[in-house]
Amino acid sequence: MTGRTRQAARLLAGGTLGLAVVAGGALHPGRAADRIPVADVFEITIPTDGGEGVAHYEGAIHGAYRTPDATVLYWSIRAAEDSGAPLRTVFEHEDVDLVGGVLADPRTLDVLLPLRDDARCLCTEAGDLDPSQDPHTFQVMYTSFPAVPAGTTAIDVDVDGRGTIVAGVPVSDILPTGPQVERASVVMGQGWPAAPTTEQVGQVGARDPLDLVGRSGAGDGSVTTEGTGADRLVRFDADVLFAFDRSDLSAEAQAVLDDAIAEIEAAGELGRLEVVGHTDGQGTADYNQRLSVARAQTVADSLREALGEDLEVTVEGRGWDEPIATNDTEEGRAQNRRVTISYETASGTEGDR
């Protein structure tokens, strides 16, 4: 999604619940009868063809809606015009968990998980997609979560399981205008996937929520830890590790990394460790790609030195392709400059750090 598209869509959203229509496959202002709620927009970029290519997807979060027994989140997605991959690719990509959790109560930091069990999910899955539909047309999906607390008026949505968050999605007591369609995906403008019935919710037990550990490391929030147990993510703001435009560690960086190394060591024998670098949207794509790789390599070298030279470490740079905040402000750009570490213990327990 281009910066102009993102900016226009956010103007439609107005920071809360905006209105838009579909025309020519894109979001535009329109007549009241045709309007579709848009809370915010997002984009997802994934590697394809063994890393030789990339696929771009554009999406929108429409809103969250209370039913008697659940919370239904409506969202839409399409393949970008410059992307040749089908929608099914992003659903099935191993690094992507589409709309996999919502933070409903910042006081408890509980992340609600979709209503699913071994047999079914009350949500849109890859098998629900209609292969005859144009992948460049927005298709509306749904994901059902346990009922949010009565006093909750907005939720934060984890869009892709990789740190892309849409914050402040309004929660409504009234389902959106338009027909409820007995399909799990619907072309935008033709209705909404039907909300689950009381019987369907009763057949799929709610899973225990995840607890966000919150902020750790630097007191200013430059190191963020989320999750509990083996399912954790620690995100380092690049500014605490590196000086501007540099890929060598800053004076403060080693102390921050030492804390992460201690926690990784406490997790037990490691089977895999991956370091990924990210940049903001300034400069050129090629330069940012090289910088993200160089920074990830520097962190990986530091971890290998501490944890053992025989440790298998995978290094990847994703440049500016996976922003978690706007690049229109310095605060947002600072959030996008980051390095993440993921690992798997020898016993197969996986976590993200």
Side-chain angles (χ1 to χ4, degrees):
M1 186 175 299
T2 67
R4 288 189 298 273
T5 303
R6 177 177 292 275
Q7 183 180 24
R10 281 187 169 146
L11 287 173
L12 289 170
T16 55
L17 189 63
L19 297 170
V21 295
V22 179
L27 297 175
H28 299 281
R31 301 183 306 276
D34 299 323
R35 290 178 181 176
I36 293 170
V38 175
D40 206 346
V41 296
F42 61 88
E43 58 185 6
I44 298 174
T45 300
I46 58 173
T48 59
D49 301 326
E52 295 296 321
V54 294
H56 302 282
Y57 297 89
E58 303 170 344
I61 300 294
H62 298 289
Y65 302 87
R66 286 190 177 89
T67 71
D69 309 282
T71 303
V72 180
L73 185 78
Y74 285 119
W75 52 284
S76 60
I77 194 168
R78 71 171 183 176
E81 293 296 337
D82 62 352
S83 179
L87 277 183
R88 192 180 188 97
T89 300
V90 71
F91 274 82
E92 296 180 338
H93 196 277
E94 61 182 4
D95 292 336
V96 176
D97 182 14
L98 283 172
V99 190
V102 298
L103 175 62
D105 189 344
R107 296 168 300 178
T108 63
L109 294 179
D110 283 347
V111 175
L112 302 180
L113 302 176
L115 292 171
R116 72 159 69 235
D117 57 21
D118 293 338
R120 65 179 303 183
C121 177
L122 299 182
C123 65
T124 306
E125 299 183 284
D128 299 316
L129 300 175
D130 183 353
S132 67
Q133 291 293 341
D134 179 0
H136 303 300
T137 297
F138 280 106
Q139 296 186 48
V140 178
M141 319 292 180
Y142 84 108
T143 305
S144 302
F145 295 91
V148 300
T152 298
T153 59
I155 59 176
D156 296 344
V157 180
D158 183 349
V159 170
D160 58 5
R162 303 185 299 177
T164 303
I165 305 297
V166 172
V169 176
V171 179
S172 174
D173 294 324
I174 303 173
L175 289 172
T177 302
Q180 292 276 300
V181 182
E182 293 298 329
R183 293 198 307 272
S185 70
V186 182
V187 173
M188 187 184 287
Q190 297 183 5
W192 307 89
T197 65
T198 297
E199 180 181 2
Q200 289 172 326
V201 173
Q203 292 172 348
V204 179
R207 295 177 288 168
D208 291 337
L210 295 178
D211 295 325
L212 286 184
V213 174
R215 299 286 184 179
S216 68
D220 61 1
S222 58
V223 182
T224 308
T225 305
E226 301 174 0
T228 58
D231 187 7
R232 296 169 66 88
L233 181 145
V234 175
R235 180 183 302 116
F236 300 92
D237 287 2
D239 292 355
V240 80
L241 299 179
F242 306 99
F244 176 73
D245 219 23
R246 299 290 296 271
S247 60
D248 53 322
L249 292 175
S250 66
E252 306 86 30
Q254 195 57 56
V256 175
L257 288 176
D258 284 345
D259 289 340
I261 289 167
E263 293 187 17
I264 293 172
E265 286 182 313
E269 183 181 354
L270 296 179
R272 178 188 62 80
L273 191 147
E274 181 181 48
V275 182
V276 180
H278 303 266
T279 67
D280 61 23
Q282 295 181 303
T284 67
D286 287 345
Y287 179 82
N288 278 284
Q289 176 62 26
R290 292 195 300 271
L291 180 63
S292 68
V293 172
R295 286 179 166 179
Q297 186 64 61
T298 298
V299 172
D301 290 344
S302 181
L303 295 176
R304 187 183 287 111
E305 180 179 354
L307 298 171
E309 292 297 332
D310 58 342
L311 179 67
E312 180 181 350
V313 182
T314 301
V315 176
E316 184 178 353
R318 296 178 182 168
W320 63 24
D321 287 334
E322 296 178 7
I324 58 174
T326 178
N327 275 306
D328 296 333
T329 66
E330 177 51 41
E331 181 181 0
R333 290 190 292 271
Q335 293 180 54
N336 291 331
R337 298 189 294 267
R338 65 198 191 278
V339 176
T340 63
I341 304 170
S342 66
Y343 69 91
E344 185 177 86
T345 63
S347 60
T349 302
E350 186 172 0
D352 290 310
R353 310 198 68 77

